[in-house]
Amino acid sequence: MTTSLRFRAAVVSIALFLAFIGVWHLATRQTASTTTMSPEYAKLMGITATSGKSAMPGPLDVGVKLWEHLKRPFYDNGPNDKGLGIQLAYSIGRVGLGYLIAVIVAIPLGFLIGMSPLMNKALDPFIQVLKPISPLAWMPLALYTIKDSSLSAIFVIFICSVWPMLLNTAFGVAAVRKEWINVARTLEVGTFRRAFTVILPAAAPTILTGMRISIGIAWLVIVAAEMLVGGTGIGYFVWNEWNNLSITNVIIAILMIGIVGMLLDQILARFTRMVTFPE
């Protein structure tokens, strides 16, 4: 039954993809020639105006350009001309470092909040005030204090990643069955040992769900952050190619952002399934 459902879902997905490519191709194919223009005006307007060709690249144009990028993903011809692989590596590195710092901070603090009603009440006002602030609102302050664009982007990733992990960890820890906690206390299991042997395995699915939400938000925010700070990264690549009026490269960058985001999400989804057990 499951195999049949997966096969049918794959068939539908492929059909939808082919339909999308077909509509895209038809919408961007060359149309009839436009009215004759003077040579000077035609040179100014470019081929899209003189031939009637759509300014939006078609799937074949994007495919050819994508293959060029895949053949040389790590070339480096200077500050504003680096391969797509290098740009993605910078972005993934920043996301990974900021996300790791958020894990180190959020999970222990979430355990403290979940296990201590006193700390829950004491820290809740601070969390409720800081959580709604847009991560990009911290960027000017980070640039002013840190004085390094790359470190500022990492700080913004930390800020946007910490809240979903913190809240999910606190919720998961607080929601552990009291019967299990009472049995551990009856057996005179210490607080730290109880946290690692009883609470952590029970709360792990909820914690990893928070981590999964955080990685998605972090990957969203890094693109916008790199557009602001410039230099390197897939966000800067998108902005730079837009300034160069290379819509084909912009579309390719959007595609790569989506693929990397999907892979990051699936990795954490896999970990979540590994620690989830039926009761």
Side-chain angles (χ1 to χ4, degrees):
M1 184 67 179
T2 304
T3 304
S4 175
L5 179 61
R6 288 178 179 174
F7 176 75
R8 285 182 291 160
V11 171
V12 172
S13 296
I14 293 171
L16 290 173
F17 175 75
L18 294 176
F20 170 75
I21 294 295
V23 172
W24 181 10
H25 174 71
L26 293 175
T28 57
R29 68 177 182 174
Q30 184 170 340
T31 59
S33 299
T34 58
T35 307
T36 304
M37 304 177 185
S38 66
E40 293 79 8
Y41 186 69
K43 186 176 181 180
L44 177 65
M45 295 300 293
I47 190 172
T48 58
T50 58
S51 67
K53 182 178 174 61
S54 172
M56 181 66 67
L60 294 178
D61 300 323
V62 173
V64 170
K65 192 67 177 179
L66 177 60
W67 178 243
E68 292 179 8
H69 282 292
L70 293 178
K71 286 193 298 184
R72 298 179 61 227
F74 299 107
Y75 75 86
D76 188 349
N77 294 333
N80 293 324
D81 190 11
K82 299 181 186 296
L84 200 58
I86 292 178
Q87 305 288 17
L88 284 171
Y90 273 106
S91 296
I92 293 172
R94 290 179 183 128
V95 168
L97 184 54
Y99 184 79
L100 178 61
I101 297 172
V103 170
I104 294 171
V105 171
I107 292 181
L109 189 57
F111 261 84
L112 178 62
I113 294 172
M115 295 178 68
S116 171
L118 172 63
M119 296 306 298
N120 187 1
K121 293 291 185 182
L123 294 176
D124 185 67
F126 299 98
I127 295 173
Q128 296 306 320
V129 169
L130 295 173
K131 179 169 64 72
I133 299 174
S134 170
L136 295 180
W138 294 95
M139 181 60 78
L141 188 61
L143 288 170
Y144 180 77
T145 54
I146 300 175
K147 295 179 174 59
D148 183 277
S149 60
S150 184
L151 292 178
S152 297
I154 292 170
F155 172 76
V156 169
I157 293 302
F158 161 75
I159 286 292
C160 75
S161 301
V162 73
W163 304 120
M165 276 189 278
L166 175 64
L167 295 175
N168 272 52
T169 301
F171 174 78
V173 170
V176 174
R177 289 188 177 183
K178 300 304 179 185
E179 296 89 345
W180 299 346
I181 304 296
N182 292 334
V183 168
R185 286 173 176 166
T186 302
L187 297 174
E188 298 183 354
V189 177
T191 302
F192 286 101
R193 186 180 176 190
R194 185 165 68 243
F196 282 100
T197 59
V198 179
I199 297 176
L200 180 59
T206 308
I207 295 171
L208 279 164
T209 299
M211 294 175 66
R212 185 179 177 186
I213 295 171
S214 290
I215 197 67
I217 296 173
W219 188 243
L220 285 172
V221 169
I222 192 61
V223 175
E226 288 172 345
M227 285 183 178
L228 290 176
V229 301
T232 54
I234 193 65
Y236 172 72
F237 179 82
V238 172
W239 191 248
N240 189 51
E241 293 304 318
W242 161 246
N243 289 330
N244 294 332
L245 297 180
S246 178
I247 304 301
T248 303
N249 279 333
V250 171
I251 293 173
I252 290 171
I254 291 171
L255 177 63
M256 291 295 104
I257 291 168
I259 291 174
V260 172
M262 179 190 69
L263 292 175
L264 293 174
D265 180 78
Q266 289 303 307
I267 290 171
L268 283 168
R270 176 73 174 178
F271 286 147
T272 303
R273 289 193 293 270
M274 289 172 61
V275 299
T276 303
F277 301 97
E279 295 184 9

